């Protein structure tokens, strides 16, 4: 392979090189048989892949047999509607960014969505402190990590209603603490693998809530009853998610990842705080360990900063259009060396232009 770039893209995002290499083999052949793109989802080769991915994800998330583990399609965005359709559309939402806003909007279309708190007034630079939660809500919805604004919950709120979490951009970045939740979902393309599959962990008692009138494909019970093989699943995406899960286990699991991610994020925030040239978007104490958002205090320097980064093989650093500036997404698969290379570049750039 030619020299690998350090890819700071928010998603689809960088994958471990070991996983890419193994997936190349899987494209050619699975255990001497046909390749993963070409075999039946009902055949023995794929069945082994499917079961292996589920078993590894259960081990990494702590999902025991109280939980259904589903591989679904339609992205996290489809879960914005599946959650209220299955659990009841009387949800409490904590709106901490663009994705949370979109989830709230879907529930509003379906029923009685209630805004429990929002940090929109301050440019989504923090997680709101106090929440207006209703005891009779069907669920409380939070977004554990706000990919666009770069904030992250430190501790989940205590709730009476089941807690539902969009964990698309920080799932398996550390221990999940599944006990606190009723349902967790995540599009795979940030921290779990390639685009095309969405992981849903849902308590069995909540699966049963959906009305019988719910269209078949939208009901969790359909997919739970058939182990995510009701219809053709996104076989390749699930295969690669399984390889990423194996890689995570080889790295020491989610505890080891948490320590590594904490150290990576700290180095980057230290570099931002050390130079007047850079200004972080998120408030201290609310900063994400996955998506580090920052501005150059002189915005005219943003374009040269990004161009210089690209020349060094540091790519995908442009901020989301709604925030501007820069964003370094440093998910599990971003090696510490990538963060070190970015920090070195930031220091040099500050020395030259600061
Ligand atoms: C990317 C993202 C989404 C959207 O995911 P899709 O799979 O594209 O629908 C939703 N929520 C969060 C937190 C995200 O980061």
């Amino acid at each position: 392979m030619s020299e690998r770039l350090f890819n700071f893209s928010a998603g689809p995002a960088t994958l471990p090189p070991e996983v890419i290499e193994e997936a190349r083999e899987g494209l050619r052949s699975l255990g001497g048989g046909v390749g993963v793109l070409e075999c039946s989802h009902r055949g023995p080769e794929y069945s082994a892949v499917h079961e292996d991915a589920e078993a590894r994800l259960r081990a990494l998330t702590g999902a025991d047999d109280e939980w259904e583990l589903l591989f679904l399609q339609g992205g996290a965005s489809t879960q914005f509607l599946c959650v209220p359709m299955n659990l009841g559309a009387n949800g409490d939402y904590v709106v901490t960014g663009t994705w949370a806003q979109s989830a709230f909007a879907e529930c509003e279309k379906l029923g009685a969505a209630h805004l429990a708190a929002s940090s929109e007034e301050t440019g989504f630079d923090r997680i709101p402190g106090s929440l207006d939660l209703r005891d009779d809500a069907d669920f409380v919805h939070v977004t554990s990590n706000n990919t666009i604004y770069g904030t992250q919950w430190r501790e989940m709120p205590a709730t009476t209603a089941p807690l539902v979490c969009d964990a698309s951009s920080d799932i398996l970045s550390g221990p999940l603490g599944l006990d606190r939740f009723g349902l967790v979902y995540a599009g795979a393309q940030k921290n779990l693998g390639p685009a095309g599959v969405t992981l849903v962990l849902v308590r069995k008692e909540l699966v049963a809530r959906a009305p019988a009138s719910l269209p078949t494909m939208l009901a969790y019970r359909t997919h739970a009853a058939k182990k995510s093989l009701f219809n053709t699943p996104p076989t390749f995406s699930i295969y690669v998610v399984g390889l990423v899960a194996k890689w995570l286990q080889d790295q020491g699991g989610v505890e080891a990842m948490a320590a590594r991610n904490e150290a990576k994020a700290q180095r980057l925030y230290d570099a931002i705080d050390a130079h007047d040239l850079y200004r972080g978007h998120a408030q201290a104490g609310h900063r994400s360990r996955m998506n580090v958002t920052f501005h150059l205090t002189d915005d005219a320097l943003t374009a040269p900063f990004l161009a210089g980064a690209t020349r060094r093989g540091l790519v995908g650093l442009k901020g989301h259009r709604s925030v501007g500036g820069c964003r370094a997404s440093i998910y599990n698969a971003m090696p510490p060396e990538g963060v070190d290379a970015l920090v070195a570049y930031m220091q040099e750039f500050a020395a030259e232009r600061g």
Side-chain angles (χ1 to χ4, degrees):
M1 272 209 288
S2 57
E3 205 186 321
R4 236 172 109 78
L5 304 170
F6 287 121
N7 174 15
F8 295 90
S9 164
T14 195
L15 288 167
E18 299 92 324
V19 167
I20 302 285
E21 284 305 304
E22 210 172 333
R24 276 159 62 116
E25 268 313 299
L27 287 176
R28 272 192 283 270
S29 167
L30 278 180
V34 296
V36 63
L37 291 177
E38 301 165 282
C39 61
S40 166
H41 61 294
R42 309 277 178 210
E45 295 87 357
Y46 179 72
S47 293
V49 163
H50 196 85
E51 281 164 25
D52 181 72
E54 171 169 354
R56 291 183 189 281
L57 287 172
R58 282 192 181 272
L60 287 163
T61 57
D64 60 17
D65 58 12
E66 306 269 286
W67 290 82
E68 299 290 358
L69 187 155
L70 308 175
F71 296 117
L72 303 181
Q73 299 188 65
S77 300
T78 297
Q79 294 312 306
F80 296 166
L81 55 119
C82 285
V83 166
M85 283 184 147
N86 282 266
L87 269 50
N90 187 33
D92 282 353
Y93 282 75
V94 185
V95 171
T96 48
T98 310
W99 297 116
Q101 231 161 13
S102 302
F104 178 59
E106 286 304 289
C107 189
E108 276 188 307
K109 288 186 180 183
L110 294 163
H114 167 70
L115 188 65
S118 168
S119 52
E120 186 171 14
E121 239 173 51
T122 57
F124 294 121
D125 66 346
R126 69 196 69 187
I127 302 297
S130 67
L131 311 181
D132 174 30
L133 299 176
R134 301 166 306 161
D135 284 342
D136 63 344
D138 289 323
F139 60 88
V140 178
H141 184 281
V142 295
T143 309
S144 50
N145 182 74
N146 298 283
T147 323
I148 292 175
Y149 295 91
T151 62
Q152 189 174 20
W153 288 78
R154 285 286 169 279
E155 209 175 315
M156 283 296 147
T159 63
T160 312
L163 186 59
V164 173
C165 181
D166 176 0
S168 292
S169 53
D170 66 354
I171 190 155
L172 299 187
S173 64
L176 185 54
L178 200 55
D179 293 355
R180 296 165 299 179
F181 299 106
L183 189 154
V184 177
Y185 63 91
Q189 68 272 21
K190 276 117 187 185
N191 216 11
L192 283 181
V197 65
T198 305
L199 178 68
V200 175
L201 299 163
V202 54
R203 284 187 192 273
K204 285 184 174 164
E205 77 221 32
L206 293 179
V207 171
R209 265 201 203 173
S213 60
L214 192 58
T216 310
M217 280 298 287
L218 298 181
Y220 294 132
R221 75 163 68 84
T222 303
H223 303 285
K226 300 288 184 189
K227 296 197 155 298
S228 308
L229 288 158
F230 171 76
N231 68 322
T232 316
T235 51
F236 181 71
S237 298
I238 294 169
Y239 167 65
V240 179
V241 166
L243 297 181
V244 170
K246 177 170 177 290
W247 175 84
L248 262 172
Q249 291 173 317
D250 292 345
Q251 301 294 306
V254 284
E255 279 85 9
M257 265 309 134
R260 183 168 121 155
N261 288 330
E262 181 73 46
K264 277 156 46 187
Q266 193 59 53
R267 279 206 295 288
L268 208 37
Y269 286 117
D270 284 349
I272 291 168
D273 293 340
H275 302 283
D276 290 339
L277 194 74
Y278 308 113
R279 181 171 48 79
H281 178 76
Q283 295 290 306
H286 302 249
R287 288 169 153 183
S288 167
R289 299 181 195 85
M290 298 278 98
N291 308 98
V292 176
T293 47
F294 60 98
H295 296 271
L296 281 90
T297 37
D298 175 1
D299 195 42
L301 290 178
T302 306
F305 174 84
L306 292 170
T310 301
R311 282 196 295 276
R312 290 212 181 182
L314 308 170
V315 302
L317 286 163
K318 194 173 185 326
H320 189 272
R321 59 192 178 282
S322 57
V323 186
C326 305
R327 169 175 56 175
S329 297
I330 51 171
Y331 303 119
N332 285 347
M334 173 56 67
E337 296 73 33
V339 170
D340 290 343
L342 176 56
V343 165
Y345 170 63
M346 288 172 72
Q347 287 167 344
E348 271 177 50
F349 190 87
E352 276 171 27
R353 311 276 190 127

